């Protein structure tokens, strides 16, 4: 007989055959009907005097609240249907939360059966596994409905379908229609998520509905197929991205032109605009003179040229400096007020790690176990970013694990596995750290667990409690080893996700510090693969970057293949991203050829990306949208389109003084008697990294020729240059 | 409808929380009213920006009234001044004194009687006390969030913060739904919008052009100017116009090139081209720079010295004066950000005296009182008070007992806010805190309720739904909130 039928028979024939189990049946019921949600009795203070643990995480406490508190009035063993718990839940008497279920619902039956059987609790049965079928739902139309089934197995061997007792939550209620019986349909095309919860187990389900309804079916089918592979096959990035693109039937954009690729790769890897020399050399290297009829050969030539460029950029000093800048931001290095001297030390230390391409697990371990004078040991940076053990735990979880443990400060994380024990346990590991002019580790230190009022026991998040021997600096070493061990996937995934975002403009998981089951990556397998290869490659930064930048995906045009296509997460085209304020700041100086603005003591070469700390005072950078020192700045929707920024660009000294600079490139070109065409040509190449189209060249030459005298010519040239430095093409990496 | 449920708290020892119980009843009542109303769903944010039809603005604000509901008692307010007391003002030293409580609760300040029998306020609020007929005070605000960033997010958006969505403040959301095109910014913050620890942007998930525009300098300073509002020497209007034209030309070149990219298909009916990150704020900046209106509003020198003195020469006073000048020129939303209310230590000096041994008190409360009194007087005199809603609040209250450093710490469980103008029925106290100012004693009001009320007073239906950039619908005020009907 079919197991499903069998279990149905068992369930309906006689509940007494298997006593109703509190921990594995009644708790899920309370969760399913919202009783122990954070907004109801699951709130830290409970509600209406009745307090349950959030989503039934502490069954012994819940059982006590139900069966013993209020002099046992919540349960009436002689007349089960007179139990306060039952009367309230069915709103037979007034209930602040309204009726949760009806007296003839299955839930009512289950609850009454449990009370009839004595309302007992035995802790001998646990949830062992949870499976959902299907794990991915492929829909073809908006009308289509698919039913998912949630199957659990308990430690006593029983297996049953608990779809009706699970909480099925769409990630976004506007995108999915999810009914309690497990029926799912989509309200919009795209990739959507829902999570199923039973007890503490959360499993994501992906729902896919092709995203390009504006295209004809023939176009939909043709578009991705027409995109041929690279001659020597795909790399893993292309394989996984293409799979998703095909699932959603998105049209791919073609390869970016050589100059676009050059500008993108140079900006993303070094934070600088391409040199004028490379503007000639790179397109030449991409060009196939031999036999343009050979499509395959042409593609291969482009691929080789791109790979060579990426390698050159990776080996450059500019790369070193720019990625040091990324780490300065990640580690929230500050220079004011107490860390003035240490900031330089930290910067130099970071720079050395990047220069040597030191394995990042070693870097992380050194950061976590660093002690000593902050002016001498740059690795103390990690402890300068927080002011106490709890902050340190939050920072550590976000930085190294890519997870937001902070939700578990006051209550167990409602959407993830993290508990208060994890949060305060990790804080307890950091409790012995003393911060000041030097970082030291005491033999002990405590953090009070808010639930027990006692010192929290040090704990590895989501793992084991530390032993008494693992106190003081031993605890930090244990944490560092655990964090970077091969079995612990968090670190590798967090790094892979961040690096992906820095190169591609969007994290596979957004925000990048919020990795969790219910926030699944857009490309789950790709994130796993990148993390795996990062680990296998010795956890060095450069091979990971090379892998991504050598993909065809990295090198696509940023113009969507269809004007109605708004694909912001599947990489059917490259994402155009605004230049970071620091990069923009330096790029402007490079185009205008003006002297560096920051003193060399805080920034090598005066460049903004070389600033030793995130908080070196600069009004201009702040107005341009610099991320505050203590913020993660990982949100997907960072925008710098603000009125103060616009006013700065128009009226501020920032651009105007550089345009007028007597020693700038404009002044030099004018003094040298450069022709109008040459002026236009020069600045197009400097600012936009490309030659002007003939239409553009004509237009601007024409404008310059309207000048009556040299003074006017300069004014027009300045205005032209101003427009170049504020136009969208200049301000984005596209 | 009952606002409380039976306290079953006999054995647990946990405090019953009437506010939360009330939430639930209000929730059900709200559901009922929701069915009666047409929930208005307005436009949606697309990946590229806003797609609101031009006709949209006319249908929006007054949609609340439907046939079976009585007309609102007052016309909605056109404008709003939010006086934000950043850091969390002590309710016990301001709007909710407890003269009969023990010394450590009562605190160092005396209280004074107001024009309304039985109602007393802090001794430092004589201006508000004598004008109490204009003010409604809510003494039973309650929130569970006692951290600056969280509390600020809750009070300014009506929603508790979550990592999933950053909600927009009512300042920004109001600007968004009204979507009025004007040269002057739709919301201005004086002197800045650094609120609640500085992590709150104001616009939330809305485009940054709906972020409050900070004037960025202190109107109390003699050299007060709005940064970068004036072009530098040598940049006359001819050149500004040329730059504007050149910039548009470059963006247009790009758009045209992209439109004919290899392999690209274009739906001519829906789009004119693709250009990521087109800047609306640059367009607005051009308008603003050439607006004499804005420059005049900002020129406080045009006020007589007497007028400036009436507001008080401190930042909050001159900010309120600037707010009045902007209101007169039709700016719909002004946030006066009054810093410094996080008084963990030495609250007597900071709240009352300003500096130790001051002959005339110039602390936070007297400065605020003087500014608010002058602002409401001036608006009233000009007939603008009825159409201008004034809201005075911070992110939470402060602990009922003084701490050992003569200060009070964060206390969100009960606190007070004051409202005036904009059709608010003055001279009333709504709700009450208990004997020691620890918890709401009656009529608990959540920040969600307050937000719903502010929207409603501004003529915006609180149930209005807006969308995040990925299409998630968000109600302006949370589903479990309801308008504080006694206020009008």
């Amino acid at each position: 007989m079919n197991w499903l039928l069998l279990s149905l028979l068992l369930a309906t024939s006689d509940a007494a055959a298997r006593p109703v189990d509190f921990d594995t049946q009644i708790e899920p019921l309370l969760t399913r009907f919202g009783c122990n949600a954070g907004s109801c009795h699951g709130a830290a203070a409970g509600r209406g005097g009745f307090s349950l643990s959030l989503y039934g995480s502490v069954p012994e406490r819940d059982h006590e609240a139900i069966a013993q508190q209020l002099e046992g009035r919540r349960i009436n063993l002689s007349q089960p249907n007179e139990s306060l718990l039952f009367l309230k839940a069915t709103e037979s008497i007034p209930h602040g939360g309204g009726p949760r279920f009806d007296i003839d619902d299955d839930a009512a039956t289950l609850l009454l059966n449990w009370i009839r059987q004595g309302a007992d609790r035995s802790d001998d049965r646990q949830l062992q596994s949870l499976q959902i079928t299907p794990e991915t739902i492929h829909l073809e139309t908006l009308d289509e409905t698919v039913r998912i089934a949630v199957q659990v197995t308990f430690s006593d061997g029983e297996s049953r379908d608990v779809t009706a007792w699970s909480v099925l939550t769409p990630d976004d209620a506007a995108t999915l229609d999810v009914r309690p019986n497990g029926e799912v349909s989509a309200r919009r095309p795209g990739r959507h998520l829902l999570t199923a919860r039973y007890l503490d187990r959360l499993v994501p389900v992906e729902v896919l509905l092709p995203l390009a309804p504006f295209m004809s079916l023939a176009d939909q089918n043709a578009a991705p197929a027409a995109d041929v592979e690279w001659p020597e096959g795909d790399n893993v990035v292309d394989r996984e991205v293409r799979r998703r693109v095909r699932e959603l039937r998105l049209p791919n954009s073609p390869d970016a032109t050589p100059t676009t690729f050059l500008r993108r790769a140079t900006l993303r890897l070094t934070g600088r605009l391409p040199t004028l020399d490379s503007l000639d050399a790179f397109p030449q290297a991409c060009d196939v003179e031999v036999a343009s009829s050979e499509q395959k050969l042409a593609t291969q030539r482009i691929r080789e040229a791109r790979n060579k460029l990426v390698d050159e950029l990776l080996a450059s000093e500019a790369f070193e400096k720019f990625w040091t800048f990324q780490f300065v931001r990640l580690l929230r290095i500050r220079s004011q007020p107490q860390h003035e001297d240490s900031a330089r030390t930290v910067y130099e230390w970071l720079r050395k790690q990047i220069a040597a391409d030191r394995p990042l697990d070693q870097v992380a371990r050194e950061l976590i176990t660093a002690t000593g004078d902050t002016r001498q040991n740059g690795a103390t940076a990690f402890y300068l970013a927080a002011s106490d053990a709890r902050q340190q735990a939050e920072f550590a979880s976000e930085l190294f694990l890519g997870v937001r443990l902070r939700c578990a400060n006051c209550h167990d994380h409602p959407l993830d596995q993290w508990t208060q024990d994890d949060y305060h346990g990790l804080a307890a590991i950091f409790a012995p750290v003393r911060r000041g002019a030097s970082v030291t580790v005491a033999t002990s230190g405590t953090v009070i667990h808010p639930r027990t009022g006692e010192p929290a026991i040090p704990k590895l998040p989501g793992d084991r409690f530390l032993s008494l021997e693992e106190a003081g600096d031993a605890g930090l070493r244990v944490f560092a080893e655990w964090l970077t061990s091969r079995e612990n996937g968090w670190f590798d995934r967090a790094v892979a996700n961040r690096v992906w975002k820095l190169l591609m403009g969007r994290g596979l998981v957004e925000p990048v510090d919020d990795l969790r089951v219910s926030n699944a990556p857009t490309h789950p397998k790709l994130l796993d693969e990148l993390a795996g290869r990062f680990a296998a490659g010795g956890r060095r930064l450069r091979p990971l970057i090379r892998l991504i930048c050598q993909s065809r995906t990295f090198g696509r045009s940023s113009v969507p293949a269809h004007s109605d296509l708004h694909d912001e997460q599947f990489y059917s085209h490259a994402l155009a991203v605004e230049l970071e304020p620091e990069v923009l700041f330096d790029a402007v100086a490079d185009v205008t050829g003006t002297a560096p603005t920051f003193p060399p003591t805080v920034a090598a070469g005066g460049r903004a990306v070389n600033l030793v700390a995130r908080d070196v005072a600069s009004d201009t950078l702040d107005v341009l949208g610099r991320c505050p020192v203590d913020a993660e700045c990982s949100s997907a929707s960072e925008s710098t389109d603000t009125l103060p920024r616009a006013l700065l660009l128009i009226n501020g000294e920032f651009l105007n003084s550089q345009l007028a600079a007597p020693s700038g490139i404009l002044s030099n070109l004018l003094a040298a008697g450069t022709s109008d065409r040459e002026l236009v040509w020069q600045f197009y190449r400097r600012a936009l990294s490309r030659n002007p189209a003939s239409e553009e060249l004509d237009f601007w030459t024409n404008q310059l020729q309207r000048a009556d005298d040299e003074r006017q010519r300069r004014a027009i040239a300045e205005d032209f240059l101003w427009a170049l430095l504020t136009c969208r093409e200049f301000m984005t990496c596209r | 409808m009952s606002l409380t449920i039976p306290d079953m708290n006999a054995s647990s020892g946990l405090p019953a929380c009437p506010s939360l119980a009330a939430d639930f009843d209000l929730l059900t009542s709200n559901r009922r009213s929701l069915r009666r109303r047409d929930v208005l769903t307005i436009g949606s944010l697309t990946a590229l920006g806003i797609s609101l039809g031009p006709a949209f603005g006319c249908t929006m604000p007054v949609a609340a009234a439907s046939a079976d509901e009585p007309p609102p008692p007052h016309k909605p307010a056109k404008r709003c001044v939010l006086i934000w007391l950043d850091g969390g003002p002590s309710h016990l030293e301001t709007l909710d004194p407890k003269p009969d409580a023990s010394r450590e609760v009562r605190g160092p300040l005396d209280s004074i009687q107001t024009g309304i029998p039985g109602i007393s306020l802090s001794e430092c609020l004589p201006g508000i006390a004598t004008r109490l007929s204009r003010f409604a005070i809510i003494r039973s605000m309650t929130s569970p969030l006692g951290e600056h960033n969280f509390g600020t997010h809750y009070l300014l958006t009506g929603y508790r913060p979550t990592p999933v969505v950053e909600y927009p403040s009512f300042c920004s959301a109001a600007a968004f739904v009204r979507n009025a095109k004007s040269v002057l910014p739709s919301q201005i913050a004086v002197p800045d919008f650094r609120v609640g620890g500085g992590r709150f942007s104001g616009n939330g998930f809305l485009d940054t052009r709906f972020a409050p525009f900070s004037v960025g300098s202190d109107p109390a300073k003699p050299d007060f100017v709005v940064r970068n509002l004036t072009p530098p020497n040598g940049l006359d209007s001819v050149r500004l116009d040329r730059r504007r034209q050149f910039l548009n030309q470059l963006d247009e070149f790009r758009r045209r090139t992209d439109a004919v990219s290899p392999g690209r298909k274009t739906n001519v009916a829906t789009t004119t081209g693709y250009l990521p990150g087109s800047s609306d704020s640059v367009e607005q900046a051009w308008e603003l720079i050439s607006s004499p209106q804005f420059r005049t509003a900002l020129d406080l020198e045009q006020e007589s010295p007497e007028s400036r003195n009436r507001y008080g020469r401190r930042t909050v006073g001159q900010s309120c004066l600037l707010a009045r000048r902007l209101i007169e020129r039709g700016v719909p939303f002004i946030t006066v950000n009054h810093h410094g209310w996080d008084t963990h230590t030495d609250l007597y000096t900071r709240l009352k005296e300003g500096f130790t041994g001051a002959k005339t008190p110039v602390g936070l409360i007297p400065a605020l009182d003087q500014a608010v009194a002058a602002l409401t007087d001036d608006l009233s005199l000009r007939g603008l008070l009825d159409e201008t809603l004034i809201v005075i609040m911070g992110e939470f209250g402060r602990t009922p007992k003084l701490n050992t450093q003569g200060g009070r710490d964060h206390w969100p469980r009960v606190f007070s806010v004051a409202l005036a103008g904009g059709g608010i029925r003055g001279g009333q106290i709504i709700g009450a805190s208990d004997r020691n100012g620890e918890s709401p004693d009656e009529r608990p009001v959540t920040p969600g309720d307050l937000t719903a009320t502010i929207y409603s007073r501004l003529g915006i239906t609180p149930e209005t739904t807006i969308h995040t950039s990925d299409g998630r619908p968000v109600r302006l005020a949370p589903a479990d909130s309801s308008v504080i009907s006694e206020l009008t």
Side-chain angles (χ1 to χ4, degrees), chain B residues 321-350:
Chain B
L321 174 59
L322 181 57
R324 193 211 78 208
R325 293 179 63 83
L326 292 167
I327 286 283
E328 287 173 289
R329 283 158 186 85
V331 175
F333 208 112
I334 292 135
T335 302
V336 171
N337 191 7
H338 193 190
H339 290 284
W341 290 86
D342 195 18
T343 49
H344 288 281
T345 58
D346 195 13
L347 139 169
Y348 179 79
T349 311
R350 294 168 67 184

Side-chain angles (χ1 to χ4, degrees), chain B residues 32 34 53 62 84 191 196 305 337 341 355 475:
Chain B
R32 253 167 255 137
L34 247 178
V62 283
W84 178 255
N337 191 7
W341 290 86
F355 55 91
R475 277 175 45 133

Side-chain angles (χ1 to χ4, degrees), chain A residues 443 457-458 465-472 474:
Chain A
T443 47
I457 305 166
F465 288 100
L466 297 193
S467 68
L468 283 173
E469 290 75 52
E470 295 165 323

Side-chain angles (χ1 to χ4, degrees), chain A residues 47 96 188 564 641 695 728, chain B residues 24 256 258 270 277 281 470:
Chain A
R47 190 168 275 215
R188 298 197 302 165
D564 285 354
D641 187 17
E695 178 195 27
R728 302 316 298 167
Chain B
F24 255 72
R256 290 215 297 257
D258 283 352
T270 57
S281 53
D470 55 0

Side-chain angles (χ1 to χ4, degrees), chain B residues 409-484:
Chain B
D409 304 316
H410 307 174
W411 191 260
R413 200 194 291 170
V414 75
F415 56 104
S416 306
V417 308
L419 298 103
I424 294 289
R425 189 158 59 80
Q428 61 166 336
I429 304 285
I430 289 171
S433 63
D434 58 8
R435 202 161 47 95
N436 289 335
E438 276 177 348
S439 303
D441 199 33
E442 53 186 63
R443 181 55 171 118
V445 176
T446 66
D449 297 335
L450 182 64
T451 306
T453 307
I454 292 170
Y455 280 124
S456 160
R457 273 295 83 221
L458 294 177
I460 296 166
T461 316
E463 290 88 4
T464 303
T465 301
I466 59 176
H467 291 87
T468 63
S469 59
D470 55 0
R472 177 196 186 99
V474 173
R475 277 175 45 133
L476 288 184
D480 60 354
S481 66
S482 52
V483 172
I484 309 160

Side-chain angles (χ1 to χ4, degrees), chain A residues 11-237:
Chain A
T12 48
S13 61
D14 187 10
R18 188 190 295 275
V20 180
D21 185 55
F22 180 81
D23 289 12
T24 58
Q25 288 179 274
I26 298 301
E27 287 281 20
L29 179 152
L30 296 172
T31 304
R32 163 71 181 77
F33 292 96
C35 313
N36 55 20
S39 54
C40 292
H41 303 288
R47 190 168 275 215
F50 179 33
S51 166
L52 293 170
S53 62
L54 190 66
Y55 299 132
S57 53
V58 194
E60 61 270 28
R61 216 183 80 201
D62 296 341
H63 186 263
E64 191 198 319
I66 291 171
Q68 280 154 44
Q69 280 174 17
L70 205 70
E71 288 135 14
R73 270 174 52 210
R74 291 190 177 116
I75 296 296
N76 186 334
L77 288 177
S78 55
Q79 284 177 284
N81 55 5
E82 287 296 305
S83 301
L84 193 57
L85 184 70
F86 184 78
L87 294 173
K88 282 272 182 183
T90 55
E91 213 186 19
S92 307
I93 60 172
H95 179 216
R100 307 316 301 170
F101 44 79
D102 242 32
I103 45 172
D104 41 0
D105 280 356
D106 290 349
T109 315
L110 187 70
L111 191 59
L112 286 179
N113 280 344
W114 174 67
I115 298 174
R116 277 196 203 103
Q117 287 160 7
D120 284 335
R121 164 175 189 265
S122 68
D123 57 356
D124 56 0
R125 188 165 98 149
Q126 288 88 38
L127 177 62
Q128 218 155 43
S129 67
L130 186 156
Q131 295 93 32
I132 296 195
T133 41
E135 281 176 335
T136 305
I137 300 178
H138 292 272
L139 298 173
E140 280 300 322
T141 64
L142 287 171
D143 314 320
E144 195 179 339
T145 296
V146 168
R147 189 166 172 168
I148 55 169
V150 184
Q151 181 79 17
V152 290
T153 308
F154 298 110
S155 55
D156 62 357
E158 192 202 354
S159 178
R160 67 160 72 203
D161 182 312
V162 293
T163 312
W165 305 102
S166 307
V167 183
L168 305 175
T169 320
D171 198 30
D172 183 342
T175 58
L176 284 181
D177 206 359
V178 182
R179 270 157 247 137
N181 66 0
E183 283 178 356
V184 178
S185 57
R187 294 182 174 165
R188 298 197 302 165
R191 166 191 168 270
H192 314 304
L193 280 178
L194 70 96
T195 44
R197 174 193 280 272
Y198 191 81
L199 285 169
D200 61 345
R201 226 58 69 93
L202 274 173
V203 177
V205 179
E206 200 170 59
V207 184
L208 297 161
L209 179 61
L211 194 68
F214 46 83
M215 292 171 67
S216 73
L217 208 60
D219 273 353
Q220 281 192 24
N221 289 327
D227 190 50
V228 293
E229 291 185 10
W230 286 100
E232 290 124 44
D234 290 330
N235 83 9
V236 60
V237 171

Side-chain angles (χ1 to χ4, degrees), chain A residues 170-352:
Chain A
D171 198 30
D172 183 342
T175 58
L176 284 181
D177 206 359
V178 182
R179 270 157 247 137
N181 66 0
E183 283 178 356
V184 178
S185 57
R187 294 182 174 165
R188 298 197 302 165
R191 166 191 168 270
H192 314 304
L193 280 178
L194 70 96
T195 44
R197 174 193 280 272
Y198 191 81
L199 285 169
D200 61 345
R201 226 58 69 93
L202 274 173
V203 177
V205 179
E206 200 170 59
V207 184
L208 297 161
L209 179 61
L211 194 68
F214 46 83
M215 292 171 67
S216 73
L217 208 60
D219 273 353
Q220 281 192 24
N221 289 327
D227 190 50
V228 293
E229 291 185 10
W230 286 100
E232 290 124 44
D234 290 330
N235 83 9
V236 60
V237 171
D238 294 324
R239 203 161 59 231
E240 292 306 318
V241 166
R242 171 180 316 182
R243 180 152 58 165
R244 190 105 289 181
V245 160
R246 286 195 170 153
E247 280 172 338
L248 293 165
R249 282 192 226 119
L250 297 171
N252 264 330
S253 294
D255 297 328
T257 61
T259 44
T260 305
F261 183 88
L262 173 67
R263 190 174 194 265
R264 183 186 303 160
T266 315
L267 274 170
R268 291 280 163 88
L269 293 182
T270 67
R272 307 182 71 135
L273 297 169
T275 61
L276 292 178
D277 288 345
S278 65
L279 281 183
D280 293 324
F282 183 67
Q284 265 168 29
C286 293
D287 211 18
V288 184
E289 296 139 26
V290 259
S292 54
S293 56
E294 265 279 15
Q295 176 63 38
K296 205 173 160 190
L297 198 63
T299 318
Q300 181 162 352
R301 185 76 186 266
I302 290 173
R303 186 177 192 178
E304 282 166 8
R306 283 183 174 186
N307 291 354
K308 184 157 164 280
L309 173 72
V310 168
D311 281 338
E312 283 166 9
L313 292 170
L314 282 170
S316 68
E317 193 188 329
F319 171 88
E320 228 174 86
K321 287 180 175 164
F322 185 54
W323 286 75
T324 303
F325 160 76
Q326 306 285 21
F327 275 73
V328 165
R329 176 155 60 178
L330 266 177
L331 282 165
R332 305 179 188 179
I333 308 303
R334 49 183 96 220
S335 63
Q336 306 288 336
Q338 67 270 47
H339 305 309
E340 232 159 302
D341 300 329
S342 44
R344 266 220 86 78
T345 311
V346 169
Y347 183 89
E348 291 307 330
W349 181 81
L350 277 174
R351 171 101 194 257
K352 237 181 263 169

